[in-house]
Amino acid sequence: MNGKDLPIAIVCHGFMAAQDTVRHYTKLLARLGYAAYCFDFCGGSLIGGKSDGKTTQMSIRTEIEDLTAVMEYVLSLPYTREEGMLVMGSSQGGLVAALTAARMPQRVKKLVLFEPAFCIPDDARSGKLMFTKFDPNQLPEVLWVGFTRLGREFVQDLITMDVYREIADYPGDVLIVHGTEDILVPLEYSSEAIDRYETAAIQQGFRRKAILRIIPGGRHGFSRQHDQQAMQYLTQFARVEPTWLADET
């Protein structure tokens, strides 16, 4: 790579985190030949975020809008190219990345999801977010989730969301990495996502791979050891000319 005509990689952080938590993935993708970027969602960081916005104004919808705006900005740069874009997200950022990729299939060629929070809509419908409980039929204007103040719109957007229906039509390659000991987002949600991606590929004739890599003992927010393993899977998948390890399960 000579610094011109580079494929793009964009990495999304998780709920109330910040870009610093995913910067090492961005650096890895840059070493693999991408023009790689991470950013802070508007109102999406509790500490350390550099973007404007209030947490009470943040929702999955606004984060999709933020990611879309970042994609358009990076595409406008003189050293990037439209073909071969990779979008990656961790936890809630994984949910946002998957939804955005499905809405912009002409842009996103590869999708990487680390412990994607596909459980959030189900949690909202059942009246809980993380360790906070509420009545989904009588939502307050402001909802405290841990130390974070969320607005009513955050939950309202989720209650009517059919996440698997929305993501399944994405036609590109997908890598999901998930740990077996994740108590915030059970592994079953990622297994179901892979099943939906594979079913849609058969039904619609997509030529794509949807791969789930399971990390034994991995929790939500990988330890350093488990993160190194996840980054190996990312490296195999994200190479500009990827090498598939077909004998892995």
Side-chain angles (χ1 to χ4, degrees):
M1 291 291 178
N2 59 8
K4 297 180 181 179
D5 195 35
L6 298 176
I8 295 165
I10 300 173
V11 186
C12 306
H13 66 75
F15 177 76
M16 288 299 117
Q19 61 181 281
D20 288 348
T21 61
V22 294
R23 189 176 298 277
H24 59 299
Y25 303 135
T26 312
K27 291 180 178 179
L28 171 60
L29 289 164
R31 292 195 296 272
L32 293 174
Y34 290 86
Y37 292 83
C38 54
F39 66 101
D40 296 315
F41 286 111
C42 293
S45 302
L46 187 60
I47 298 174
K50 298 178 176 62
S51 294
D52 295 331
K54 299 179 180 179
T55 60
T56 52
Q57 298 171 332
M58 180 273 297
S59 68
I60 300 301
R61 175 184 54 80
T62 66
E63 293 201 342
I64 291 172
E65 293 171 355
D66 291 346
L67 175 55
T68 301
V70 171
M71 291 165 64
E72 295 300 329
Y73 166 73
V74 178
L75 281 166
S76 73
L77 298 174
Y79 51 84
T80 63
R81 69 170 186 246
E82 183 172 348
E83 296 79 18
M85 181 184 292
L86 179 150
V87 173
M88 176 178 177
S90 176
S91 192
Q92 181 171 297
L95 171 61
V96 172
L99 291 167
T100 306
R103 297 181 186 195
M104 304 187 72
Q106 74 282 7
R107 291 275 194 244
V108 183
K109 181 179 180 181
K110 301 175 186 177
L111 180 62
V112 179
L113 310 174
F114 281 9
E115 53 201 9
F118 292 134
C119 65
I120 297 180
D122 281 349
D123 289 348
R125 283 186 283 269
S126 67
K128 66 175 184 178
L129 286 173
M130 299 178 71
F131 305 108
T132 299
K133 295 183 179 181
F134 53 88
D135 183 350
N137 299 310
Q138 297 183 1
L139 294 173
E141 289 296 325
V142 174
L143 183 68
W144 282 94
V145 178
F147 297 102
T148 304
R149 297 173 73 244
L150 299 179
R152 178 202 299 263
E153 290 78 12
F154 184 89
V155 179
Q156 286 179 327
D157 284 355
L158 293 166
I159 287 176
T160 59
M161 181 182 294
D162 184 344
V163 64
Y164 293 124
R165 180 185 61 79
E166 292 195 35
I167 68 172
D169 287 341
Y170 169 67
D173 291 339
V174 182
L175 169 68
I176 301 180
V177 183
H178 210 128
T180 59
E181 302 303 316
D182 191 333
I183 63 172
L184 291 182
V185 183
L187 174 60
E188 288 76 13
Y189 279 90
S190 286
S191 298
E192 178 67 19
I194 291 294
D195 288 344
R196 297 297 184 96
Y197 280 128
E198 291 178 340
T199 299
I202 293 170
Q203 293 175 343
Q204 301 186 44
F206 297 151
R207 296 183 62 185
R208 65 111 176 272
K209 293 181 174 68
I211 294 180
L212 174 61
R213 299 300 191 213
I214 297 173
I215 297 183
R219 299 184 180 184
H220 200 77
F222 296 136
S223 67
R224 178 171 296 185
Q225 175 185 354
H226 292 146
D227 201 40
Q228 289 297 316
Q229 187 174 351
M231 290 172 71
Q232 291 177 8
Y233 293 139
L234 172 60
T235 299
Q236 295 162 6
F237 177 84
R239 293 185 188 280
V240 175
E241 297 295 336
T243 300
W244 296 97
L245 301 183
D247 57 340
E248 290 195 12
T249 58

